RNA sequence: GUGAGUGUAGCUCAGUUGGUUAGAGCGUCGGUUUGUGGCACCGAAGGUCGGGGGUUCAAAACCCCUCACUCACCCCA
């Protein structure tokens, strides 16, 4: 029989145990950070009813949605009535609308699950990937302080993850929208198109190309003067104070613009109050975000020197999360860490160490007759909270050590007839290459203590 | 969905202007005897050269088709 080449579908990430452990540690850190800032967990199903999921999305997102259908229904030519979620924000909107009478507001939830997008896989772009979201949803209103809390959380987590340098960049969409309104760009569609072009500025790396696209684009149709003015505004650099001063000096009366500047100023002040050093965040007026449900503050986070892999964390504020599900007005602000991409980038950068196994100790087998002693020893270690595995094969000791080493198990314990007679246990610390004999009763303590320094 | 590029061992790649049984490094497995891993040495397994067709005395190499993957576009974590 011909074997089928085993392979994962493109755009999925599958890991070996030691990598998986490293990935899990990363998720643990993110979870801890979220909980420390007072967010509570929820999960939602991987698939939603198609009409619910797609109630708001335009054509673009719908093209990327995977539909789900049982084969039975498929045989009957039924249109799939289930679809896999493509982000966690839409399910959140559904969740909050559905349970609004049982939730407390502001509702602060975190959610770490996989999402699915039917697009061509690419470097750092997956079709199945983890998003780790936090959002704060208010009823009717939501203080701007929360907009500053998002970067504070991200700063804490990314610092703890040890990902090296990173920069949280933020902007307020009202500034761009107001600026465009002041230029007489009245149609929301045209403004959205301009935003999308603007988002590519980073990738194109040449403002003149952006100008050309803005002028030449069917959907944008800016004049050369206006496009240049926009690019000049957007390329403002320097401290947050400098950028805000530059915004103040703009001869733009448009109230939306002014409100955006005021909001951005308040958020920047709050960021200082949160104590986030300005090396790790900056105002970047070119951050536009394609998704049009964002209405105010927007964020993108990049790892230093790894911009080409894209944003590893982004989000923003939206005035009304769930207008398609409820008449309640539910404003919110949220941010999402792309954990799969983040992990991939860290791997590429060599920043993710293939860590130790979750198994802490291997009880080796020297003499099959001593198996009862091995089992008792292992049970004792487990009782002391130490993850312990028993080598069930009486292979040569060297082989058993090799096994432990390859599996990333840091400690091996050896009990042979000699030890058994003397009432001691040999504890070998593989990574340190150090070996000690301790009385049987002190094994767990010795393992906890680890190899002696020096 | 559109465009471009690449397909030789598990991985990274060699393979002369087409010319015998297609190679290396790494990895894997085994060995170097008595209770000690990493290092070294020895050995082994592993390839219908992505698939199909064509040109030729002869194709991994040249041509056509096809498939897969990668990169880019769109969009986005």
């Amino acid at each position: 029989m011909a074997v089928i080449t085993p392979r994962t579908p493109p755009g999925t990430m599958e890991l070996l145990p030691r990598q998986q452990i490293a990935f899990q540690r990363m998720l643990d850190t993110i979870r801890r950070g979220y909980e420390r800032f007072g967010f509570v967990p929820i999960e939602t199903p991987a698939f939603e009813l198609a009409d619910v999921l797609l109630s708001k999305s335009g054509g673009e997102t719908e093209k990327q949605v995977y539909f789900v259908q049982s084969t039975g229904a498929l045989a009957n030519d039924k249109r799939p009535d289930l679809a896999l979620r493509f982000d966690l924000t839409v399910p959140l909107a559904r969740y909050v609308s559905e349970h609004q009478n049982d939730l407390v507001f502001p509702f602060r939830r975190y959610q770490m699950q996989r999402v699915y997008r039917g697009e061509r896989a690419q470097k750092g772009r997956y079709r199945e990937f983890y998003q780790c979201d936090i959002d704060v949803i208010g009823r009717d209103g939501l203080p701007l302080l929360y907009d500053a809390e998002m970067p504070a959380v991200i700063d804490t987590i990314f610092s703890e993850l040890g990902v090296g340098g990173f920069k949280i960049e933020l902007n307020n969409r009202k500034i761009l929208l107001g600026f465009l309104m002041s230029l007489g760009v009245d149609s929301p569609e045209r403004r959205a198109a301009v935003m999308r072009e603007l988002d590519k500025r980073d990738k194109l790396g040449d403002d003149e190309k952006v100008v050309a696209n803005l002028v030449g684009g069917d959907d944008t149709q800016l004049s050369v003067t206006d496009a240049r003015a926009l690019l000049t505004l957007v390329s403002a650099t320097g401290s947050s104070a400098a950028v805000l001063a530059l915004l103040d000096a703009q001869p733009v009366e448009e109230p939306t613009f002014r409100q955006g500047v005021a909001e951005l100023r308040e958020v920047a002040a709050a960021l200082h109050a949160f104590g986030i050093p300005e090396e790790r965040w900056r105002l970047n007026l070119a951050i536009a975000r394609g998704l049009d449900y964002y209405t105010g503050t927007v964020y993108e986070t990049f790892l230093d020197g790894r911009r080409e892999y894209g944003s590893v964390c982004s989000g923003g504020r939206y005035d009304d999360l769930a207008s398609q599900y409820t008449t309640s007005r539910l404003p919110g602000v949220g941010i999402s860490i792309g954990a799969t991409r983040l992990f991939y980038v860290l791997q590429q950068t060599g920043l993710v160490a293939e860590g130790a196994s979750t198994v802490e100790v291997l009880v080796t087998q020297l003499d099959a007759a001593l198996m009862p002693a091995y089992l008792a020893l292992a049970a004792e270690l487990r009782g002391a909270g130490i993850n312990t595995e028993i080598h069930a094969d009486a292979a040569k000791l060297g082989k058993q050590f090799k096994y432990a080493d390859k599996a990333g198990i840091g400690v091996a314990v050896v009990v042979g007839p000699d030890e058994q007679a003397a009432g001691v246990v040999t504890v070998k610390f593989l990574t340190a290459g150090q070996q000690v004999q301790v009385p049987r009763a002190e094994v767990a303590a010795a393992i906890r203590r680890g190899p002696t320094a020096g």
Side-chain angles (χ1 to χ4, degrees), chain A residues 13 21-22 34 70 86 108 142 176 188 194 261 284 293 343 368 403 413 418:
Chain A
M13 176 183 272
I21 290 162
Y34 285 169
S70 71
F86 51 86
R108 301 160 59 79
L142 189 71
L176 294 173
V194 172
V261 175
N284 179 355
Y293 54 75
F343 189 75
Y403 166 77
V413 297
D418 302 348

Side-chain angles (χ1 to χ4, degrees), chain A residues 15 48 83 94 112 148 171 174 182 192 218 250 252 307 340 369:
Chain A
L15 302 169
E48 295 271 350
R94 191 225 82 224
M112 303 170 38
N171 189 18
K174 292 195 178 88
S182 78
D218 289 343
Q250 290 295 310
V252 176
R307 257 189 128 84
T340 305

Side-chain angles (χ1 to χ4, degrees), chain A residues 250-289:
Chain A
Q250 290 295 310
V252 176
E253 300 295 325
E254 177 57 46
T256 304
F257 180 86
R258 285 297 151 206
Q259 197 193 336
V261 175
E263 287 182 8
L264 194 57
R265 169 168 283 117
E266 193 177 332
V267 172
L271 282 174
H272 285 118
F274 266 107
I276 314 172
E278 252 196 65
E279 306 91 75
R280 299 208 289 268
W281 65 277
R282 75 181 185 100
L283 302 183
N284 179 355
L285 302 182
I287 300 286
R289 310 284 291 120

Side-chain angles (χ1 to χ4, degrees), chain A residues 70-121:
Chain A
S70 71
T71 44
L74 212 56
N76 291 331
D77 245 10
K78 278 192 64 177
R79 182 177 183 275
D81 54 10
L82 300 173
L84 294 178
R85 59 172 173 231
F86 51 86
D87 69 9
L88 299 178
T89 307
V90 172
L92 171 67
R94 191 225 82 224
Y95 182 96
V96 173
S97 308
E98 190 173 337
H99 303 294
Q100 51 184 310
N101 296 330
D102 304 312
L103 296 172
V104 286
F105 291 89
F107 177 54
R108 301 160 59 79
R109 82 88 172 80
Y110 76 84
Q111 187 172 355
M112 303 170 38
Q113 295 190 275
R114 291 194 252 211
V115 302
Y116 302 86
R117 290 188 192 169
E119 53 187 346
R120 275 261 211 288

